[in-house]
Amino acid sequence: MPHSSDRIKFWDSPRADAIGADHIEFLKILAQPTWITIKGRDSSRLRTIITLLHGNEPSGLKAMHHYLKSAATPCSNVAFFIASVDAALFPPLLSHRFLPNEKDLNRCFAPPYDDSQGRLAAKLLDLLKAEKPEAVIDIHNTSSHSEPFAVARRDCPEIRKLTSLFTDKLVIITKEMGTVLEQDLLAQPILTVEFGGIMDPKADQLAIEGLERFVSLQQLSEDPMRPLQLLPEPIRLELQEGCSISFASTASAHADVTLPNTLDQLNFARVTGHTTLGWLGNAGMSALKAEDADGTDVLSDLFIDVDGLLVTRTSMTLFMVTTDPHIAKRDCILYLIPASEPDAAAVCT
Ligand SMILES: [Zn+2]
């Protein structure tokens, strides 16, 4: 079983004919985590774009390859960091979020940095602290179908302006999970942008357009380009440790929870109270937990078991809904904001 390299390759101003015909050739040429720099018209400033923190999320890689092929000159200096190259190259190509024997890199941005993933995360943070980019964008794809959205640690004018370059939806998550967003030591605004599903051509196109806008705009501090839907401090619906989940069109006899394999069509939808979301097994609601930002379990305030059906008690906005059982088990099934929250899904400018 291969291991991820924690050594970063540095590549200054690659020529368009040196990066391969497509993103697959580009990935093979990179061969390891790589920091690419491009000179801009204003060399006193730097903007940074990170991608492939997850090796199966290619929209950012495709957008970088597209931009480098164009041989355009950005407004400021630009650095591209392509992270989980080893996981992306492990066959089948671009199918592994991280290598099977390793950790999720985007859960390793917190001490101790004592394995290869942790060391790579620490080296990236050292680079960002040393280079002081004026803004950092971290490009991902969602594991299921979704409209694009941004995630940040805090809501402030700089973050709103940056978000509006890419999407009209801003999720604020303060829960500490070891993601790259949590580095408060970094003074610059940093934003994760989820452009859509992993095989969605629309997500690829939005990433290309968003990247070009980010590196071309003279000033990032201009007013937001569009009103934003703000989604603060969502509640995470998770599976309890040791429980099982299935995504299907009918209740699975062996799963503690079965959710429809079309549940992702509810991403960013407002569902009303008394809506059935799935089926519960013998363990009933005890197979689930729903923690708010303070870590309080509010499951029974939000859902009720009606003859084995999982039913909402109140209206709520759902997002980051996955239909991937591995993500649902390891991380989270979905995020939600109940309608009773005063700022829920508020629209702001
Ligand atoms: Zn990701």
Side-chain angles (χ1 to χ4, degrees):
M1 186 63 68
H3 287 279
S4 290
S5 171
D6 59 12
R7 298 183 60 167
I8 296 174
K9 177 162 82 179
F10 292 87
W11 195 358
D12 185 30
S13 304
R15 292 196 327 268
D17 61 2
I19 59 166
D22 59 21
H23 68 287
I24 304 290
E25 283 188 24
F26 181 38
L27 191 65
K28 290 176 181 171
I29 290 166
L30 297 177
Q32 68 187 86
T34 305
W35 177 273
I36 291 175
T37 45
I38 314 166
K39 285 191 177 52
R41 287 187 294 279
D42 177 356
S43 59
S44 68
R45 297 181 291 149
L46 175 72
R47 296 173 193 169
T48 297
I49 303 168
I50 299 165
T51 200
L52 279 192
L53 285 184
H54 294 137
N56 62 337
E57 299 175 7
S59 286
L61 178 73
K62 291 177 184 176
M64 288 177 182
H65 181 263
H66 187 274
Y67 189 78
L68 290 170
K69 272 287 178 199
S70 76
T73 302
C75 166
S76 69
N77 286 355
V78 168
F80 291 158
F81 183 67
I82 304 106
S84 299
V85 175
D86 299 275
L89 284 171
F90 188 65
L93 280 176
L94 292 161
S95 68
H96 297 274
R97 186 176 169 95
F98 49 91
L99 287 172
N101 55 334
E102 293 187 344
K103 290 185 200 157
D104 184 331
L105 178 57
N106 206 26
R107 297 292 180 272
C108 292
F109 289 89
Y113 301 109
D114 59 356
D115 56 11
S116 64
Q117 298 287 73
R119 288 190 292 274
L120 180 60
K123 285 179 182 176
L124 172 57
L125 293 175
D126 287 345
L127 263 172
L128 294 175
K129 285 172 197 165
E131 298 293 331
K132 297 185 173 54
E134 60 179 350
V136 181
I137 301 300
D138 165 37
I139 297 181
H140 289 250
N141 291 100
T142 45
S143 59
S144 296
H145 178 73
S146 175
E147 291 178 52
F149 61 95
V151 184
R153 280 277 285 178
R154 59 197 162 92
D155 173 26
C156 61
E158 291 75 23
I159 288 290
R160 290 188 184 189
K161 287 168 189 167
L162 208 50
T163 297
S164 74
L165 295 179
F166 305 99
T167 170
D168 62 356
K169 294 178 174 59
L170 173 59
V171 181
I172 305 295
I173 296 180
T174 54
K175 181 182 168 68
E176 294 192 351
M177 295 182 286
T179 73
V180 70
L181 291 179
E182 290 162 35
Q183 294 304 311
D184 291 336
L185 291 175
L186 305 176
Q188 65 274 32
I190 178 166
L191 196 68
T192 287
V193 185
E194 303 265 5
F195 279 101
I198 54 170
M199 297 257 184
D200 184 350
K202 197 172 130 200
D204 295 340
Q205 187 58 34
L206 288 173
I208 286 172
E209 292 168 9
L211 185 152
E212 285 183 350
R213 211 176 294 127
F214 177 63
V215 302
S216 306
L217 203 65
Q218 195 67 29
Q219 293 295 336
L220 295 175
S221 57
E222 286 168 14
D223 284 341
M225 296 171 60
R226 48 188 144 190
L228 296 183
Q229 183 184 14
L230 192 62
L231 299 137
E233 301 288 7
I235 293 164
R236 286 165 59 92
L237 181 65
E238 295 176 59
L239 202 60
Q240 289 281 10
E241 192 82 28
C243 291
S244 60
I245 187 164
S246 171
F247 290 88
S249 56
T250 185
S252 167
H254 306 293
D256 294 304
V257 179
T258 306
L259 297 176
N261 49 15
T262 53
L263 193 69
D264 52 349
Q265 68 194 3
L266 295 182
N267 265 318
F268 296 104
R270 171 76 71 93
V271 299
T272 58
H274 312 293
T275 301
T276 300
L277 289 187
W279 299 273
L280 298 165
N282 293 335
M285 292 240 296
S286 64
L288 293 167
K289 63 178 171 179
E291 288 188 354
D292 65 14
D294 302 326
T296 306
D297 195 334
V298 292
L299 182 73
S300 57
D301 298 336
L302 298 168
F303 298 100
I304 185 168
D305 178 350
V306 180
D307 298 327
L309 297 172
L310 177 67
V311 176
T312 60
R313 276 187 188 274
T314 178
S315 57
M316 57 184 74
T317 302
L318 306 181
F319 50 100
M320 293 196 238
V321 177
T322 191
T323 51
D324 180 335
H326 300 290
I327 302 281
K329 198 166 167 57
R330 278 201 211 108
D331 189 17
C332 178
I333 298 166
L334 56 83
Y335 286 72
L336 66 90
I337 294 185
S340 55
E341 298 274 328
D343 292 324
V347 174
C348 57
T349 55

